[in-house]
Amino acid sequence: MSDVESLSRQDWDVVVVGGGNAALCAAIEAAEAGCRVLILEGAPEPYRGGNSRHTRNFRCMHQEPLSVLTDSYGEEEYFDDLMLVTKGETDEDLARLAIRSSEDCLPWMEAHGVRFQPSLSGTLSLSRTNAFFLGGGKALVNAYYNTAEDLGVSVVYEAQVKHVEVRDGRFEAVQAEIAGAPCRICGRSIILASGGFQADIDWLARAWGPSARNFLIRGTPYNRGVVLNDMLEQGAESVGDPTQCHAVAIDGRAPKFDGGIVTRLDCVPFSIVVNREGERFYDEGEDVWPKRYAIWGRLVAAQPDQVAYSIIDSRSIDLFMPSVFKPDQADSIKELAEKLQLPPDKLKETVAHFNAACREGDFYPTELDGLATQGISPAKTNWARPISEPPFYGYVLRPGVTFTYLGLKVDRTARVSDAQGRYDNIWAAGEIMAGSILGQGYLAGFGMTIGTVFGRIAGQEAAAHVN
Amino acid sequence: MSINIVQGVETDQETDAIQEARRQVEICNACRYCEGYCSVFPAITRQRLFAEGDLTQLANLCHNCRGCYYACQYTEPHEFALNIPKVLAEVRSESWETFAWPGGLARRFQESGVAMAFVLTAGLALFFALIQILQPESGRGFYAYLSHGLMVALFAPAFLLPLATIAISLRRYWHSVGGTRVRLSQLKTAFLDAAQLRNLSGGQGQGCNFEQGTRYTDRRRWLHQAVLYGFLLCFASTSSATLMHYVMGWEAPYGFFTPPKLLGVPGGILLMIGTAGLAWLKLRAAPELGAMRVWGGEMAFVLLLFLVAATGLALYAASGTVAVSPLLAIHLGAVLTFFLLMPYSKMVHGFYRLAALVRDAQQKENAL
């Protein structure tokens, strides 16, 4: 850790704001091009890496088997997958650039210390499209920090950038607080890779509405959008819906921040889901869970208190990935309702009503089995089996925010603009600009693709500008 | 068939370490990012509930490579406060104490290097005294100082009795982890894993995160192999000498180009390099990622093994000089200490580790 004064006195070629995947890819590229690079990471060292800490894979185009990836995954299929989740809310040019570049990124990642592993148990469906990191995202972050250190990149933790000084379309310096001490750091170029604003609950509540105060934040508490806000206030061009965030349904007992992967609950398709009043509100069996968990984030957000309860019986307890928190358990629905603080009579009625609508048929947990209810609304269109075999189990669901969509608009070179045109020396990469490509929805592993591709481009471009 | 989660698998007499291990392993089972590092995580994913025996098995399967700790997004200051290498090390050393016979001895020698040094001192004193009092009238080589009969009378029981108590411990272990009848294929798998130290390879041959934080190195695996194979060579050397003595009637001392020396000299050198290296790594590694309670005992054990190797080589080098007498006493004292403390020191880890690898091979077969 160099002291604040010497940082301010030094002459940096590239200042990178943020310390996650995109920031690191940018820093490594710039350092390899011979630049003097400074990374300003807002988090303390144990929490370095932004949301990349919680990631696990990288979605990658490939013509033939590549590293751990099986078979092939072409540009058109990849792009179709993206169109499906974003419903067309994407910048096709940038999206195709990310997709095409991903193939070349994977060997680059391996060459810079990232290790991949075959897809994890329970994720076989992704073995063709997504390369999983050995040890997950934090291991990737560690590998990049080691590589950056070997390349002579300087890293400062707990460096909160408050303001980016821009004059006549040129970045000149950043104003930051490093471990509480204010300082001003000058540089020839800047790369903004400091993430979205999902950890700023007040901003979230202004954007989404007061109910957002009840949302859980799945990732880092350090993505508070300070730099994003500072740039937007100075007139930088924005992209993405400012009122939206990507939320999924997660275990309601998860920590407010940083719960990450373990807080997911995969029980919904085998359950009935009721709100605080003990009433069902949507088809729990509409599709397989990976295709539906994002919808349920919104559905739960629309319920009173932004909370819902997923209820199964003993026959379903082994059908999904283990949960990090144990469910509430009881030998009768009434007792379970008391434990979950739901109206007991109402819940009993809802379950009885549902059970009466179930019909005989074969139940296949791993595929759409068409075992649907009859004569109730909302229907349950698959896996509709009576909740009848005690013990009964209940899980609480809440919306968990993954990321926000609002970001800085960039071009193919990751350069940021304002109304007058492109800034001379300001680039952006990662979640702070991902809204250009992910207008809505989410595609597993694509955030890391955007971060890697645009991080590398930003690093190369900034270095070319400096040199 | 359903499982009862609330009245799951906890029992009333569980230690804090077991309960903490269960808490952490359940979090790992919901994450699974570390599946590629070693055998522990795939073993975790084969279960949903973890009884004490399951956790004991996981703990003995863990080689403390620490890859999972540095890759973990839930380590402190995160409220989940995961530290799998540490908690499994604690469960592991506790399990050895529980299964040891007699139990109190294990706790004492695992925790205390001083206790080990005390036994060593007693051992040294014994041999100095024996050489003083019982030096035979005649004899060649070492037998000029202590008769062959006396050595056998001392070392046969000092070697075989500890092995017998280890066998008792392993039976207890096997019962607690629910081991079934062992098949040859399972033994083969286990020995291959151990011979290559596959669980210290980091899953891809890059090694572990033992002494250099987030950077992988293969030092620990190489040094441990030096210890393992050095030890086996020394053991083979002694065995060959025993055979030569009793079967061929060929008595010591042996020249350099005989099996005992050709096996023992490289074995001793490997053992010295390996133990010195492991002690050095242990000093560089973060102690809070292991069982701190037994750090001293582990270090003492490594140093004792170094002493056995170093004095053995020194004794050979000193052949025919006046130094033989004191060196012989020191070497035999160290060897005696090593043998006697086998069931109660870090030495026992090899036996449990093999058992855990065999059990893991069984569970893998069952999962197919």
Side-chain angles (χ1 to χ4, degrees):
Chain A
M1 176 76 79
S2 33
D3 71 310
V4 173
E5 286 210 357
S6 79
L7 287 174
S8 306
R9 276 202 300 272
Q10 287 184 67
D11 200 12
W12 300 102
D13 291 326
V14 183
V15 176
V16 181
V17 184
N21 173 54
L24 290 158
C25 290
I28 288 168
E29 284 282 5
E32 284 185 338
C35 294
R36 294 171 44 83
V37 183
L38 173 67
I39 289 178
L40 297 172
E41 162 61 300
E45 188 168 357
Y47 280 111
R48 70 185 183 183
N51 278 344
S52 307
R53 259 179 67 233
H54 287 291
T55 63
R56 61 182 190 177
N57 59 29
F58 172 81
R59 185 172 287 255
C60 186
M61 176 182 111
H62 54 108
Q63 305 304 331
E64 54 206 35
L66 174 68
S67 179
V68 295
L69 294 164
T70 54
D71 207 355
S72 71
Y73 186 44
E75 181 182 340
E76 290 313 315
E77 189 190 356
Y78 197 149
F79 186 70
D80 289 346
D81 286 345
L82 180 65
M83 290 299 277
L84 209 64
V85 297
T86 60
K87 301 192 171 63
E89 284 290 311
T90 184
D91 177 323
E92 180 165 349
D93 186 44
L94 293 183
R96 286 188 181 273
L97 174 64
I99 290 168
R100 265 181 227 140
S101 308
S102 66
E103 188 165 24
D104 167 58
C105 280
L106 192 139
W108 183 90
M109 293 162 81
E110 286 181 327
H112 291 84
V114 177
R115 291 180 169 273
F116 292 97
Q117 63 183 355
S119 65
L120 305 173
S121 60
T123 63
L124 281 178
S125 56
L126 295 170
S127 64
R128 184 172 66 87
T129 56
N130 290 49
F132 283 75
F133 315 131
L134 178 69
K138 191 173 166 191
L140 168 138
V141 164
N142 290 341
Y144 282 154
Y145 272 103
N146 287 335
T147 301
E149 186 188 330
D150 294 345
L151 290 166
V153 172
S154 300
V155 179
V156 186
Y157 299 107
E158 295 177 71
Q160 299 278 344
V161 172
K162 304 288 184 191
H163 177 53
V164 180
E165 291 179 24
V166 183
R167 190 173 308 167
D168 304 328
R170 267 192 75 72
F171 150 76
E172 287 184 346
V174 290
Q175 292 170 17
E177 263 181 25
I178 294 175
C183 70
R184 183 173 181 272
I185 297 167
C186 300
R188 293 198 182 86
S189 68
I190 190 164
I191 296 168
L192 307 173
S194 47
F197 66 86
Q198 70 279 8
D200 183 339
I201 306 291
D202 291 339
W203 188 347
L204 214 53
R206 283 196 305 275
W208 175 286
S211 65
R213 295 198 180 276
N214 287 330
F215 293 0
L216 301 167
I217 311 304
R218 299 193 71 201
T220 179
Y222 295 93
N223 279 11
R224 293 192 284 260
V226 176
V227 176
L228 171 63
N229 184 52
D230 176 66
M231 289 302 294
L232 295 177
E233 281 188 344
Q234 297 186 67
E237 298 270 299
S238 76
V239 69
D241 187 337
T243 69
Q244 292 301 309
C245 61
H246 182 259
V248 303
I250 60 168
D251 196 310
R253 295 158 298 175
K256 182 71 181 175
F257 292 102
D258 235 358
I261 189 79
V262 301
T263 58
R264 70 169 180 261
L265 275 180
D266 300 345
C267 53
V268 168
F270 310 116
S271 73
I272 58 166
V273 178
V274 299
N275 60 15
R276 200 189 57 188
E277 317 302 332
E279 289 164 336
R280 290 178 62 244
F281 52 91
Y282 195 82
D283 177 359
E284 302 89 347
E286 188 174 49
D287 204 337
V288 292
W289 187 237
K291 293 192 179 165
R292 281 293 163 269
Y293 74 108
I295 288 185
W296 280 85
R298 287 188 169 274
L299 290 167
V300 175
Q303 298 303 310
D305 288 347
Q306 294 69 54
V307 64
Y309 302 84
S310 177
I311 290 156
I312 58 170
D313 72 2
S314 59
R315 290 179 298 174
S316 298
I317 189 76
D318 284 337
L319 296 179
F320 50 93
M321 276 277 287
S323 59
V324 70
F325 301 107
K326 289 197 168 82
D328 277 303
Q329 176 185 343
D331 288 328
S332 72
I333 293 293
K334 211 167 168 161
E335 193 191 335
L336 185 64
E338 278 155 11
K339 284 191 173 173
L340 296 170
Q341 296 179 321
L342 294 169
D345 295 337
K346 178 68 200 171
L347 186 65
K348 237 180 119 168
E349 183 194 324
T350 301
V351 171
H353 200 54
F354 169 81
N355 288 354
C358 291
R359 53 184 178 78
E360 288 299 307
D362 290 333
F363 170 89
Y364 297 110
T366 52
E367 55 189 81
L368 299 174
D369 62 1
L371 190 59
T373 53
Q374 283 174 317
I376 53 165
S377 177
K380 184 178 180 186
T381 51
N382 287 288
W383 310 295
R385 195 166 56 168
I387 311 284
S388 58
E389 302 296 319
F392 302 103
Y393 303 100
Y395 294 91
V396 58
L397 295 169
R398 287 190 184 278
V401 180
T402 319
F403 58 88
T404 45
Y405 290 104
L406 174 69
L408 299 175
K409 189 171 172 30
V410 298
D411 62 10
R412 290 178 63 92
T413 64
R415 189 89 65 99
V416 185
S417 303
D418 68 1
Q420 281 71 52
R422 300 202 314 173
Y423 292 112
D424 273 356
N425 56 352
I426 305 179
W427 288 265
E431 271 184 39
I432 200 172
M433 50 62 70
S436 314
I437 302 169
L438 273 168
Q440 65 167 299
Y442 184 62
L443 194 57
F446 196 47
M448 291 300 275
T449 307
I450 294 170
T452 308
V453 169
F454 285 90
R456 289 184 63 197
I457 290 172
Q460 292 162 0
E461 293 284 330
H465 168 86
V466 168
N467 295 335
Chain B
M1 183 62 214
S2 76
I3 46 177
N4 189 323
I5 293 191
V6 170
Q7 301 152 10
V9 285
E10 299 87 353
T11 62
D12 294 340
Q13 307 94 35
E14 286 181 352
T15 62
D16 293 352
I18 285 283
Q19 289 174 20
E20 177 61 8
R22 179 179 296 114
R23 181 189 77 82
Q24 294 196 27
V25 160
E26 283 174 352
I27 296 172
C28 292
N29 205 14
C31 171
R32 305 190 175 185
Y33 283 10
C34 291
E35 253 176 38
Y37 280 122
C38 67
S39 299
V40 173
F41 294 91
I44 289 173
T45 63
R46 290 196 288 265
Q47 295 179 269
R48 285 178 91 90
L49 291 177
F50 299 90
E52 183 166 0
D54 301 326
L55 295 163
T56 303
Q57 163 66 12
L58 292 173
N60 279 281
L61 201 52
C62 165
H63 290 48
N64 197 248
C65 82
R66 308 180 174 197
C68 65
Y69 175 86
Y70 289 104
C72 181
Q73 64 275 35
Y74 299 117
T75 51
E76 282 191 322
H78 194 286
E79 66 190 76
F80 288 167
L82 290 193
N83 186 341
I84 288 283
K86 178 191 170 87
V87 76
L88 291 187
E90 285 169 349
V91 170
R92 190 161 60 238
S93 60
E94 266 182 18
S95 75
W96 302 342
E97 286 163 18
T98 308
F99 300 131
W101 183 87
L105 285 177
R107 171 168 280 266
R108 171 54 50 87
F109 289 112
Q110 283 211 86
E111 281 181 9
S112 169
V114 175
M116 198 175 278
F118 188 81
V119 174
L120 176 65
T121 312
L124 299 186
L126 170 72
F127 281 101
F128 274 106
L130 287 174
I131 291 172
Q132 282 288 318
I133 301 161
L134 296 177
Q135 188 163 352
E137 298 294 307
S138 64
R140 297 173 53 221
F142 304 145
Y143 304 143
Y145 301 91
L146 278 179
S147 72
H148 182 259
L150 180 61
M151 285 208 206
V152 172
L154 268 173
F155 280 100
F159 177 60
L160 294 172
L161 287 174
L163 279 184
T165 78
I166 288 173
I168 294 171
S169 301
L170 283 183
R171 275 189 59 138
R172 291 174 172 177
Y173 175 81
W174 201 241
H175 178 74
S176 90
V177 303
T180 55
R181 216 184 144 75
V182 178
R183 296 219 312 272
L184 199 60
S185 62
Q186 295 154 357
L187 278 175
K188 194 177 144 192
T189 305
F191 274 96
L192 271 175
D193 281 349
Q196 306 164 41
L197 274 182
R198 212 175 44 78
N199 284 288
L200 273 189
S201 71
Q204 302 186 353
Q206 79 278 25
C208 56
N209 296 113
F210 188 69
E211 77 285 0
Q212 260 196 295
T214 56
R215 292 178 190 263
Y216 299 106
T217 86
D218 221 8
R219 289 190 201 112
R220 186 149 165 259
R221 191 154 59 129
W222 281 103
L223 290 165
H224 188 285
Q225 295 297 49
V227 173
L228 175 63
Y229 289 103
F231 181 84
L232 290 174
L233 282 168
C234 291
F235 192 75
S237 156
T238 308
S239 306
S240 71
T242 308
L243 285 175
M244 284 156 71
H245 185 99
Y246 287 105
V247 179
M248 299 160 67
W250 179 2
E251 293 199 10
Y254 304 108
F256 186 76
F257 293 100
T258 59
K261 290 289 187 292
L262 288 176
L263 294 165
V265 171
I269 292 169
L270 276 175
L271 200 47
M272 277 180 74
I273 293 170
T275 47
L278 287 181
W280 172 69
L281 290 187
K282 203 168 174 60
L283 289 171
R284 298 187 58 193
E288 64 274 16
L289 270 63
M292 285 156 90
R293 181 178 66 89
V294 297
W295 194 96
E298 287 180 340
M299 195 56 143
F301 170 75
V302 174
L303 296 177
L304 173 67
L305 211 46
F306 177 84
L307 186 70
V308 168
T311 52
L313 286 171
L315 193 54
Y316 178 45
S319 291
T321 69
V322 289
V324 168
S325 170
L327 279 171
L328 183 66
I330 296 172
H331 181 64
L332 293 181
V335 172
L336 184 71
T337 306
F338 169 76
F339 279 167
L340 289 178
L341 296 186
M342 267 196 311
Y344 316 115
S345 67
K346 174 87 187 201
M347 183 62 198
V348 84
H349 81 280
F351 298 93
Y352 283 105
R353 187 80 78 216
L354 266 174
L357 289 167
V358 173
R359 180 63 193 138
D360 191 55
Q362 291 188 338
Q363 288 177 317
K364 272 189 221 148
E365 285 177 13
N366 296 341
L368 291 178

